[in-house]
Amino acid sequence: MNNQDQSLIFEISTPGRIGYSLPEMDVTEVSLDDILPAEYIRAEEAELPEVSELDIMRHYTALSKRNHGVDSGFYPLGSCTMKYNPKINENVARLNGFAHIHPYQEAKTVQGALELMYDLQEHLIEITGMDQVTLQPAAGAHGEWTGLMMIRAYHEANGDTGRTKVIVPDSAHGTNPASATVAGLETVTVKSDENGLVDLDDLKRVVGADTAALMLTNPNTLGLFEESILDIAKIVHDAGGKVYYDGANLNAVLSKARPGDMGFDVVHLNLHKTFTGPHGGGGPGSGPVGVKEDLIPFLPKPIVTKQGDQYVLDYDRPQSIGRVKPYYGNFGINVRAYTYIRSMGPDGLKAVTENAVINANYMMRRLAPFYDLPYDRHCKHEFVLSGRRQKKLGVRTLDIAKRLLDFGYHPPTIYFPLNVEEGMMIEPTETESKETLDAFIDAMIQIAKEAEESPEIVQEAPHTTVVKRLDETLAARKPVLRYQK
Amino acid sequence: MKHRYLPMTEQDQKEMLSAIGVSKVDELFSDIPESVRFQGEYNIKQAKSEPALLKELTKLAGRNADLKSYSSFLGAGVYDHYAPIIVDHVIARSEFYTAYTPYQPEISQGELQAIFEFQTMITELTGMDVANSSMYDGGTALAEAAMLSAGQTRRKKILLSTTVHPEARDVVKTYAKGQHVEVIEVPYKDGVTDVAALKELITDEVAGVIVQYPNFFGRIEPLKEIEEIVHSVKSMFIVSSNPLALGALTPPGQLGADIVTGDAQPFGIPSSFGGPHCGYFAVTNKLVRKVPGRLVGQTVDENGKRGFVLTLQAREQHIRRDKATSNICSNQALNALAASVAMTALGKKGVKEMAVQNIQKAHYAKQVLKQKGFEVVFDGPSFNEFVVKLPASYQETNDRLFEQGIIGGYDLGSSYPELQNHMLVAVTELRTKEEIDAFANELGDHHE
């Protein structure tokens, strides 16, 4: 069934069928012509599908079967922390008192929601070691931009208007330089040294009176902890800059190291990663930002505060960068993250990181004989292999990724970070069992052998998916971005 | 410790540490210098069991007055609508919600096709050529539209009508500051954009003009007139639209819009205290390579079979990095899916019928209030919202309504100082005649 071409919903549409049940019209109707100008009354109906409720359910069920999620199988997509998404989170987020409340209800009618937001802020403050947190940003990249806008506002408030540069390591997430650009700042790259860490000499070279901030992920995108983090922070602080923590990899250091204790001034978190979002096929996420004391005045407004036993939204923040999003952030995702944190508790979160790091190191050691390991030291929650050995045999990392699909796995993140040739970034997470890891390792070993003995099996993969490799050039050259009859 | 989300047993741990070649877990963290090592445990609440936590959080949720227990006349950008029950059954399928961005198209055809269908539905409703895979929400989508216009025209000024949602305007201003773009607000007159003032303000330095249709007061903006003014200086015409309204109203694409954005929340997405919702972003063909965010395109596989991929990614931040015009690298896929299912369930007939029901019910409420002697301010062609001048204070009125199980409309005085004690009343298809009459009666008691 799944190997048949899948119809579009528009292709199963039949005039006369409906899939809805609108409320009864119980008021006196008037003719639209009497109350709207003719030129603003829609002349032709939008061509939306006409299908029955069962048609809809079958259609989307069929689509879901053509999709791989964490619940379908192992998903070691590096940097994305594809851990299990707890089901209680979904139930809690759907409670009427959370799902069906309006952002403009008066504070006294939504005390439960405000209390949850406040308590989540408090938990994130403790987890990050920062002094205050805003829940407003919608995603990690949105949080990055928010953080940089605050740093810019901070420097400007000090009359320090010449700080226009953001220093970013060559291994950084692609969003870092993009966020800097849309915050009106320029990016300067700092090199990595032979150990995959920030090159301190190069940092000293690029830092200066024009430095607004350094953006850093720690552990970095290679899964390596920046051991000289205090020196790095000092170099930047001495030059008058701020240090920004990209929290994408927080799963590696829960209860082990807090950004606030490492010299960071601003941190964003990806609640859909470390705190079980879920990822939703690409969103919605949530990207809270934490700051140290001196940046608090610049937080986006409003902030949830407590006055006596009442929770309130504080808009009286004259130095705020303003709003970065309507309302108060992705509350529904924040509810899920809060539920997760409360399900784990302090010892649970500690075990999360320990198990995630054991899993990653175990996989790295077992795979090291078969693939190149560019940086041979303990990793944190993820590690990066290089497929350059296989490339010499005519098998590229892309081929290895596609071959993994035949085993029912989502491949690792590939060709990232940019400073590793034929990179494969593997992040198992703590919610996977040893049996799952072993089975994946076996598949990777088999693929390494295939690369030597029968490379065409790998080069022509995948063999078992509902479609073969797709022509991306055609898609880009002649874009077909919507269905046409 | 044992936890249902953590499968590692003591035996597993022993074997794995041995394979790694260390004797203790701590050795794996030896690269974290002592000076920054966190000691002990976080000072946060202890873990709770599933039943205990569910009980606690259910109680906490119960401390909120929800829209399903109260009768709500609150809109102002977020609406209580009919969400076909099937929507939640689809988005609860974990193949969708536990997946990430469809980077591997061979095992993500379901999500990719769903987005392709979403893009199609948005183009149908807006009358535009191309729609992307979704944005965070209507406010940020609008801000991205403003930035696109500045980038495209190489001009640094945006004209923003004051009849646009106040919080969306705030977001536009924050984004504009980031990219050194100036925002000038255009006043309103009689509840719609002041066209004469717009004519005064427009110059060939203006990158884009932003209006909302229907606008924040519920009124239908004169898009035709505005379009001529905007295009006379080759500015871009940016329209923010409630997509449900477009089931009944002429789509902005047919009225000359260059970019149409908005929020698909009215289609099956719960209000959820303001988020997550689902922004949409639609443009003319001319702008297809400038669209922020993700696009899904149709293609074929090696055997010629139809399939879908993320496409035109050269625009995206992860390739352009510091040359990016936008840093968005995700979308609201799951909510776009919810909106798709709702738009599918409503379909060609239902979207129109639902939109018309909104117009009819809001019109009925307006008439009832007028009959009771209330002043409907800015009265004129409108969708599902209108403005009422209250004879008493907003606070007093709203408190009284709440006591009667009614969540009153939006306090316009909170964002328009000249409109103290004016209420923005939203009437969706879910409000029954009985509820509307009760609402009017409660307001009426004050009037005497």
Side-chain angles (χ1 to χ4, degrees):
Chain A
M1 180 73 186
N2 272 349
N3 282 321
Q4 301 296 318
D5 270 340
Q6 171 66 44
S7 296
L8 289 162
I9 192 76
F10 306 99
E11 293 166 341
I12 59 169
S13 175
T14 302
R17 290 205 180 117
I18 64 160
Y20 63 93
S21 170
L22 279 165
E24 294 70 16
M25 262 303 278
D26 52 3
V27 302
T28 321
E29 295 186 54
V30 294
S31 166
L32 289 194
D33 298 327
D34 295 341
I35 52 173
L36 297 180
E39 61 201 4
Y40 294 106
I41 299 176
R42 187 168 188 132
E44 285 173 16
E45 289 163 335
E47 284 296 331
L48 297 179
E50 295 177 272
V51 285
S52 71
E53 192 166 310
L54 176 58
D55 289 338
I56 301 168
M57 204 62 218
R58 288 234 172 100
H59 176 73
Y60 286 103
T61 302
L63 291 192
S64 75
K65 289 180 180 167
R66 296 161 74 90
N67 223 48
H68 181 95
V70 173
D71 286 0
S72 320
F74 190 38
Y75 210 130
L77 188 66
S79 196
C80 298
T81 315
M82 301 302 291
K83 58 169 79 174
Y84 173 63
N85 298 130
K87 304 311 165 195
I88 182 179
N89 297 0
E90 298 302 312
N91 285 32
V92 172
R94 283 170 169 81
L95 292 169
N96 276 348
F98 291 142
H100 298 291
I101 50 175
H102 193 288
Y104 289 142
Q105 282 179 234
E106 292 194 39
K108 65 185 175 193
T109 73
V110 285
Q111 282 295 301
L114 293 173
E115 182 178 334
L116 184 145
M117 289 170 69
Y118 182 83
D119 207 35
L120 177 59
Q121 287 175 188
E122 292 295 302
H123 277 74
L124 296 179
I125 286 168
E126 169 67 9
I127 288 167
T128 57
M130 306 306 280
D131 295 320
Q132 185 54 279
V133 163
T134 170
L135 302 175
Q136 215 178 108
H142 202 220
E144 288 178 19
W145 169 76
T146 302
L148 291 173
M149 288 292 287
M150 290 168 59
I151 290 172
R152 202 182 119 188
Y154 168 85
H155 290 312
E156 285 173 3
N158 291 336
D160 207 353
T161 51
R163 297 194 176 271
T164 55
K165 303 269 168 69
V166 176
I167 303 169
V168 173
D170 53 8
S171 64
H173 292 117
T175 46
N176 290 175
S179 299
T181 305
V182 295
L185 301 165
E186 292 165 54
T187 306
V188 184
T189 303
V190 60
K191 281 188 282 196
S192 301
D193 64 16
E194 66 281 6
N195 298 316
L197 303 175
V198 170
D199 185 324
L200 292 187
D201 289 333
D202 199 47
L203 178 61
K204 284 176 194 155
R205 188 180 64 79
V206 297
V207 80
D210 59 356
T211 301
L214 164 74
M215 294 183 88
L216 208 61
T217 310
N218 195 20
N220 66 20
T221 55
L222 295 162
L224 307 177
F225 194 87
E226 297 281 356
E227 295 178 4
S228 305
I229 182 59
L230 289 178
D231 297 329
I232 292 170
K234 186 167 187 309
I235 291 168
V236 177
H237 285 153
D238 284 351
K242 291 288 178 190
V243 190
Y244 183 98
Y245 185 88
D246 177 334
N249 293 346
L250 195 74
N251 213 48
V253 292
L254 293 169
S255 299
K256 297 295 175 188
R258 304 191 305 173
D261 302 333
M262 291 186 239
F264 288 94
D265 303 288
V266 185
V267 47
H268 89 259
L269 303 174
N270 302 75
L271 295 190
H272 44 287
K273 294 181 181 176
T274 314
F275 301 103
T276 69
H279 282 79
S286 178
V289 171
V291 293
K292 287 289 194 175
E293 190 77 38
D294 55 354
L295 285 156
I296 290 177
F298 307 97
L299 283 166
K301 55 186 174 186
I303 292 286
V304 185
T305 58
K306 199 174 177 184
Q307 288 176 359
D309 59 353
Q310 290 292 302
Y311 297 92
V312 295
L313 290 163
D314 174 16
Y315 286 90
D316 184 18
R317 309 185 62 81
Q319 286 190 289
S320 165
I321 59 164
R323 275 195 171 278
V324 299
K325 186 184 186 315
Y327 320 117
Y328 327 117
N330 281 345
F331 177 76
I333 304 302
N334 297 338
V335 169
R336 289 170 171 89
Y338 181 74
T339 305
Y340 173 71
I341 293 171
R342 297 291 315 280
S343 300
M344 301 313 293
D347 50 346
L349 291 179
K350 190 173 180 180
V352 162
T353 282
E354 289 182 352
N355 293 8
V357 170
I358 292 171
N359 279 352
N361 278 282
Y362 174 73
M363 291 182 82
M364 181 176 81
R365 288 300 157 204
R366 288 216 40 210
L367 286 170
F370 305 93
Y371 294 88
D372 280 9
L373 180 62
Y375 301 99
D376 187 1
R377 46 175 273 200
H378 295 322
C379 64
K380 291 275 89 57
H381 66 310
E382 66 188 0
F383 61 99
V384 178
L385 296 176
S386 167
R388 58 194 167 207
R389 198 188 310 175
Q390 286 72 26
K391 191 184 176 188
K392 286 183 195 134
L393 302 168
V395 171
R396 302 189 57 225
T397 283
L398 179 70
D399 302 323
I400 296 169
K402 296 302 180 194
R403 181 68 178 130
L404 278 168
L405 301 177
D406 290 330
F407 293 85
Y409 298 119
H410 193 290
T413 297
I414 54 174
Y415 299 104
F416 189 83
L418 305 176
N419 53 354
V420 172
E421 185 191 355
E422 297 289 310
M424 284 176 270
M425 186 188 215
I426 302 177
E427 179 181 9
T429 85
E430 73 285 357
T431 58
E432 299 296 338
S433 68
K434 180 169 179 289
E435 289 84 346
T436 301
L437 305 187
D438 284 336
F440 180 82
I441 290 163
D442 289 345
M444 285 291 284
I445 293 171
Q446 183 182 325
I447 294 169
K449 285 189 179 141
E450 287 172 354
E452 288 171 6
E453 292 159 13
S454 42
E456 66 287 351
I457 295 181
V458 190
Q459 289 156 343
E460 289 164 16
H463 304 277
T464 58
T465 49
V466 294
V467 288
K468 300 269 288 171
R469 290 193 203 187
L470 291 149
D471 188 344
E472 298 190 8
T473 313
L474 174 71
R477 197 183 303 140
K478 293 181 178 170
V480 178
L481 305 171
R482 55 154 296 169
Y483 166 75
Q484 301 271 12
K485 235 179 206 172
Chain B
M1 74 165 295
K2 286 188 179 157
H3 195 285
R4 65 193 186 284
Y5 306 154
L6 303 175
M8 189 182 292
T9 63
E10 276 177 37
Q11 182 60 30
D12 290 337
Q13 188 177 112
K14 218 170 116 188
E15 287 173 24
M16 292 165 90
L17 290 178
S18 153
I20 297 166
V22 296
S23 54
K24 291 203 313 275
V25 184
D26 271 357
E27 290 177 49
L28 297 175
F29 294 93
S30 58
D31 53 349
I32 303 180
E34 276 301 318
S35 50
V36 298
R37 190 90 64 90
F38 184 75
Q39 306 295 344
E41 284 181 347
Y42 291 141
N43 180 22
I44 59 173
K45 289 178 179 165
Q46 292 298 322
K48 270 197 175 176
S49 67
E50 185 170 276
L53 185 59
L54 186 61
K55 195 171 175 184
E56 179 196 318
L57 295 178
T58 303
K59 206 173 148 194
L60 190 64
R63 293 185 54 207
N64 301 318
D66 69 78
L67 304 175
K68 300 299 158 192
S69 312
Y70 284 73
S71 162
S72 170
F73 291 84
L74 189 51
V78 180
Y79 303 93
D80 181 31
H81 281 298
Y82 157 60
I85 285 172
I86 194 172
V87 171
D88 202 45
H89 286 264
V90 172
I91 66 166
R93 288 196 67 92
S94 67
E95 297 89 339
F96 289 125
Y97 81 79
T98 71
Y100 194 31
T101 302
Y103 290 129
Q104 297 292 336
E106 296 89 344
I107 54 167
S108 310
Q109 282 301 299
E111 178 67 50
L112 287 161
Q113 182 176 327
I115 293 173
F116 183 80
E117 293 174 357
F118 172 81
Q119 292 175 176
T120 305
M121 293 181 206
I122 294 296
T123 58
E124 277 296 328
L125 280 169
T126 55
M128 301 299 283
D129 301 319
V130 178
N132 79 359
S133 66
S134 71
M135 308 287 282
Y136 302 139
D137 52 51
T140 55
L142 188 61
E144 293 270 9
M147 295 307 103
L148 191 165
S149 74
Q152 176 75 0
T153 59
R154 298 178 188 279
R155 299 177 184 178
K156 288 285 186 185
K157 269 186 195 166
I158 297 290
L159 295 186
L160 176 58
S161 171
T162 45
T163 62
V164 172
H165 193 301
E167 294 200 12
R169 278 188 278 141
D170 287 347
V171 176
V172 170
K173 288 175 203 165
T174 311
Y175 273 69
K177 185 162 194 301
Q179 302 196 33
H180 307 287
V181 170
E182 185 188 357
V183 177
I184 300 159
E185 292 199 322
V186 184
Y188 65 85
K189 193 178 176 204
D190 303 329
V192 294
T193 305
D194 183 341
V195 174
L198 176 63
K199 275 184 189 160
E200 293 275 312
L201 288 167
I202 199 136
T203 67
D204 58 9
E205 290 179 340
V206 172
V209 176
I210 302 177
V211 297
Q212 184 176 319
Y213 167 82
N215 73 22
F216 190 66
F217 301 130
R219 287 289 310 276
I220 292 161
E221 288 277 346
L223 293 192
K224 267 190 153 174
E225 273 180 82
I226 296 170
E227 185 268 338
E228 283 174 25
I229 300 168
V230 176
H231 285 153
S232 70
V233 291
K234 294 192 165 61
S235 285
M236 294 180 68
F237 189 26
I238 302 166
V239 181
S240 170
S241 267
N242 175 341
L244 172 63
L246 303 182
L249 302 182
T250 305
Q254 287 175 17
L255 295 164
D258 298 294
I259 307 174
V260 182
T261 64
D263 203 303
Q265 185 270 328
F267 292 129
I269 299 171
S271 39
S272 201
F273 208 39
H277 295 161
C278 178
Y280 72 82
F281 199 104
V283 297
T284 56
N285 268 330
K286 207 177 87 181
L287 296 171
V288 63
R289 284 169 201 273
K290 306 287 179 178
V291 180
R294 293 180 177 147
L295 283 166
V296 171
Q298 183 180 310
T299 187
V300 292
D301 76 356
E302 290 166 0
N303 298 329
K305 196 192 270 187
R306 178 171 69 190
F308 302 91
V309 290
L310 292 174
T311 192
L312 303 181
Q313 291 187 78
R315 309 158 303 111
E316 259 207 58
Q317 54 76 26
H318 70 256
I319 294 174
R320 290 177 63 92
R321 291 172 72 93
D322 56 348
K323 290 184 187 64
T325 48
S326 162
N327 74 333
I328 188 167
C329 68
S330 60
N331 61 354
Q332 300 288 93
L334 195 68
N335 284 2
L337 178 66
S340 292
V341 180
M343 286 188 277
T344 298
L346 287 164
K348 184 176 179 174
K349 299 296 172 190
V351 164
K352 182 180 178 182
E353 196 179 327
M354 184 160 145
V356 171
Q357 281 199 359
N358 277 261
I359 294 171
Q360 297 285 2
K361 291 197 171 184
H363 180 75
Y364 170 77
K366 207 193 268 185
Q367 299 313 312
V368 171
L369 288 172
K370 278 191 203 169
Q371 280 161 19
K372 287 183 172 284
F374 281 93
E375 185 188 345
V376 172
V377 184
F378 313 143
D379 196 9
S382 56
F383 180 55
N384 63 358
E385 287 177 291
F386 58 90
V387 180
V388 179
K389 187 174 179 183
L390 301 172
S393 87
Y394 172 86
Q395 191 62 51
E396 191 188 310
T397 309
N398 216 38
D399 287 348
R400 186 185 169 89
L401 289 169
F402 190 71
E403 281 167 25
Q404 301 304 315
I406 297 168
I407 292 172
Y410 173 79
D411 176 11
L412 278 169
S414 66
S415 43
Y416 295 85
E418 69 280 16
L419 297 176
Q420 294 300 326
N421 301 323
H422 284 62
M423 184 183 273
L424 179 65
V425 178
V427 188
T428 73
E429 76 291 341
L430 287 183
R431 298 289 74 82
T432 62
K433 178 174 181 296
E434 200 181 331
E435 287 176 309
I436 296 167
D437 292 343
F439 171 71
N441 283 334
E442 284 306 324
L443 282 182
D445 287 345
H446 284 293
H447 190 225
E448 282 153 14

